[in-house]
């Protein structure tokens, strides 16, 4: 894989920073686009954003990356010696590759950027970052100055339409906080075969790295608490976020994993203290019918969030953003899943119910326990012999 030098391209009210990408026998462009007021902050002197964005596709394809331009010396070292080792431990299909950069950049800009950003999707994790780094008692260097909204693959079937709809829905929330809300569009998802849930951290970080002229600190909202995090083979690389995210830092921009100091139940309780969340909370996988912004109220994330709010006595506060009648129809089924699950986020909910002395309905409890028993029996069952082995 070969990355060309970045260039700026004006497209209507947006400005793209793009670089040519030669790989798998073809040449195309990877680009990130921002609205004109932020064009002056796009980082054209380094290819950090492009290297981070394309690292996992290169690892999946087993292709070395040749960078025809400067990249951060710190980032190059971290990716080469630490980050790729973590990613290949989590997903053995990702093989470490060589990153061959024409020049290593280790200078600090003058004046140094002072912005502090976080991605804001209005989910539980991102509202929790607001609770700590905007509403809380926070040092000036860690207080949020900007909110970011990326199009790097999280909008699934809705793609750009859902990206724009979600952005417009959340913009009044950012306005009420008096924080700039920067929209970063990209075609990065076109380069991925890995699902978004298996690659979201470097995707989002790459978009923010394109704006190193503005930010000196990027706060990434991590999902799992420290007690549940590890570096080992896993379906979701988010378990490794506290170790992996800081390795995407450069001399200019520090990447910080935040939120792992709390359980999901603790985060949800903190979010329920923020009145803006009653009107703007958006936790849904797909949006309404996959095209409109809003919560479907029946997907795993919606029901998980509502069940937690219900146990906390806060569900009624969210009637503007959830269809509570639709949730009721999924409630018992999800309770059964919660009782029988080994998922840390679901185990937290079961523990919350237990500590409050609130028991799930008998049918849901029995179904969940039965599923857990059957799963454990299946896991311990020896491999069945083939027909040929039985005959012999």
């Amino acid at each position: 894989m070969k990355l060309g030098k970045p260039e700026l391209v004006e497209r209507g009210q947006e400005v793209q920073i793009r670089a040519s990408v030669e790989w798998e026998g073809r040449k195309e462009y990877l680009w990130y686009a921002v609205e004109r007021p932020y064009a002056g902050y796009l980082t054209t002197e380094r290819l950090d954003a492009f290297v981070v964005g394309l690292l996992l596709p290169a690892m999946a394809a087993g292709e070395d990356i040749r960078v025809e331009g400067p990249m951060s010396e710190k980032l190059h070292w971290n990716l080469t010696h630490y980050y790729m080792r973590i990613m290949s431990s989590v997903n053995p299909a990702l093989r470490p590759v060589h990153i061959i950069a024409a020049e290593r950049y280790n200078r600090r800009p003058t004046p140094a950027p002072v912005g502090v950003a976080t991605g804001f999707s209005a989910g539980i994790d991102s509202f929790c970052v607001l609770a700590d780094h905007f509403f809380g008692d926070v040092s000036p260097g860690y207080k949020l100055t900007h909110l970011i909204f990326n199009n790097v693959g999280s909008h699934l079937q809705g793609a750009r339409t859902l990206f724009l709809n979600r952005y417009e829905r959340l913009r009044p929330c950012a306005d009420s906080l008096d924080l700039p809300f920067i929209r970063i569009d990209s075609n990065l998802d076109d380069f991925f075969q890995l699902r978004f849930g298996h690659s979201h951290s470097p995707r989002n970080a790459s978009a923010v790295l394109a704006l190193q002229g503005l930010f000196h600190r990027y706060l990434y909202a991590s999902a799992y608490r420290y007690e549940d995090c590890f570096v080992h083979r896993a379906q979701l690389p988010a378990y490794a976020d506290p170790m992996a995210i800081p390795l995407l830092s450069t001399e200019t921009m520090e990447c910080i994993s935040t939120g792992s100091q709390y359980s999901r139940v603790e985060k949800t309780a903190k979010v329920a203290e923020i009145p803006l969340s009653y009107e703007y909370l958006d936790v849904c996988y797909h949006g309404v019918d996959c095209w409109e912004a809003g919560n479907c109220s029946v997907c795993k994330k919606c029901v998980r969030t509502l069940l937690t709010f219900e146990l906390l006595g806060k569900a009624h506060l969210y009637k503007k953003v959830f269809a509570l009648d639709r949730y009721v129809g999924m409630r018992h089924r999800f309770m059964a899943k919660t009782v029988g699950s080994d998922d840390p986020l679901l185990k937290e909910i079961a523990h919350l119910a237990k500590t409050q002395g609130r028991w799930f309905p008998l049918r849901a409890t029995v179904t969940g326990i039965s599923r857990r028993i059957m799963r454990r029996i299946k896991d311990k069952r020896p491999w069945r012999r083939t027909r040929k082995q039985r005959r012999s």
Side-chain angles (χ1 to χ4, degrees):
M1 179 183 289
K2 183 186 295 184
L3 302 184
K5 293 182 179 179
E7 59 182 0
L8 298 181
V9 179
E10 296 185 4
R11 295 291 175 89
Q13 296 303 310
E14 293 184 334
V15 177
Q16 288 183 0
I17 181 170
R18 71 177 192 178
S20 62
V21 183
E22 297 181 28
W23 74 314
E24 296 185 337
R26 64 183 186 274
K27 180 178 179 179
E28 47 198 321
Y29 284 94
L30 170 60
W31 54 264
Y32 302 89
V34 296
E35 294 174 286
R36 284 184 178 274
Y38 300 102
Y41 299 108
L42 290 169
T43 307
T44 56
E45 66 272 17
R46 300 192 297 285
L47 280 149
D48 300 338
F50 299 92
V51 174
V52 170
L54 294 172
L55 180 61
L56 295 193
M59 293 176 69
E63 291 198 18
D64 294 340
I65 302 177
R66 296 186 177 273
V67 186
E68 294 190 334
M71 69 171 291
S72 159
E73 181 180 56
K74 179 177 182 177
L75 179 65
H76 183 277
W77 182 269
N78 286 346
L79 295 180
T80 301
H81 292 86
Y82 314 123
Y83 186 80
M84 282 192 279
R85 175 64 183 271
I86 292 176
M87 291 296 101
S88 60
S89 295
V90 172
N91 183 354
L94 299 176
R95 294 164 289 175
V97 297
H98 294 98
I99 303 174
I100 304 144
E103 181 183 344
R104 314 281 173 81
Y105 184 102
N106 59 12
R107 300 185 295 277
R108 298 179 183 273
T110 305
V114 296
V116 179
T118 191
F120 185 66
S121 64
I124 293 294
D125 293 324
S126 56
F127 260 115
C128 187
V129 177
L130 280 179
D132 282 352
H133 291 272
F134 185 78
F135 294 110
D137 182 16
V138 55
S139 300
Y142 291 83
K143 188 175 180 67
L144 287 171
T145 61
H146 295 76
L147 301 178
I148 302 291
F149 195 73
N150 295 329
N151 182 25
V152 288
S154 63
H155 308 290
L156 303 176
Q157 295 99 320
R160 195 163 193 275
T161 299
L162 185 55
F163 162 65
L164 294 173
N165 286 340
R166 282 174 165 166
Y167 174 81
E168 290 300 328
R169 179 179 176 274
L170 296 180
R171 188 163 59 173
C173 180
D175 290 343
S176 67
L177 296 169
D178 198 26
L179 289 176
F181 194 29
I182 302 177
R183 187 180 71 204
I184 305 179
D185 199 359
S186 178
N187 68 334
L188 179 61
D189 192 49
D190 295 343
F191 292 83
F192 272 82
Q193 292 185 346
L194 285 172
R195 292 165 54 189
F196 179 78
H198 297 174
S199 54
H200 56 79
S201 304
R203 292 191 196 214
N204 282 304
S206 73
V208 182
L209 283 166
L211 286 170
Q212 289 186 74
L214 180 57
F215 302 123
H216 84 111
R217 197 158 276 143
Y218 172 47
L219 305 171
Y220 192 86
S222 295
Y224 295 98
R225 61 178 187 161
Y226 288 124
E227 292 86 343
D228 296 319
C229 290
F230 57 87
V231 175
H232 199 272
R233 185 168 186 168
Q235 185 176 5
L236 297 176
Y239 288 110
D241 274 356
M243 291 71 76
I245 296 296
L247 299 174
L248 301 178
S249 301
T250 69
E251 290 81 1
T252 303
M253 191 178 84
E254 179 186 15
C255 296
I256 299 174
S257 169
T258 184
S260 293
Q261 66 270 41
Y262 304 116
S263 70
R264 178 57 59 93
V265 168
E266 289 172 331
K267 288 180 181 179
T268 306
K270 289 172 71 72
V271 171
E273 301 301 318
I274 303 175
L276 277 174
S277 70
Y278 308 158
E279 189 172 351
Y280 293 104
L281 186 70
D282 188 344
V283 301
C284 194
Y285 270 130
H286 306 294
V288 179
D289 298 326
C290 300
W291 297 98
E292 295 296 327
N295 296 297
C296 73
S297 305
V298 296
C299 72
K300 174 183 174 180
K301 290 182 69 177
C302 285
V303 179
R304 183 181 70 199
T305 303
L306 278 169
L307 181 55
T308 307
F309 279 135
E310 181 183 346
L311 292 170
L312 293 170
K314 304 289 186 179
H316 65 283
L317 298 174
Y318 292 89
K319 59 186 178 182
K320 285 187 177 181
V321 292
F322 290 102
L324 298 181
D325 55 335
R326 298 186 70 190
Y327 157 68
V328 170
M330 298 293 295
R331 182 171 172 270
H332 282 202
R333 186 186 304 175
F334 193 79
M335 286 178 176
K337 184 175 182 178
T338 299
V339 172
S341 177
D342 292 321
D343 183 330
L345 301 185
L346 300 189
K347 289 170 71 174
E348 287 180 21
I349 296 175
H351 179 71
L352 174 63
K354 183 178 179 180
T355 56
Q356 292 186 340
R358 299 180 63 179
W359 305 102
F360 293 158
L362 181 60
R363 183 178 177 182
T365 302
V366 171
T367 301
I369 293 174
S370 299
R371 288 176 180 173
R372 172 175 286 188
I373 292 172
M374 293 303 297
R375 186 169 61 249
R376 289 184 176 177
I377 291 173
K378 185 177 179 179
D379 289 344
K380 292 180 180 180
R381 184 185 304 170
W383 291 105
R384 292 184 177 181
R385 293 181 300 168
T386 65
R387 181 177 299 179
K388 185 176 180 180
Q389 287 173 326
R390 289 198 299 269
R391 286 176 178 174
S392 62

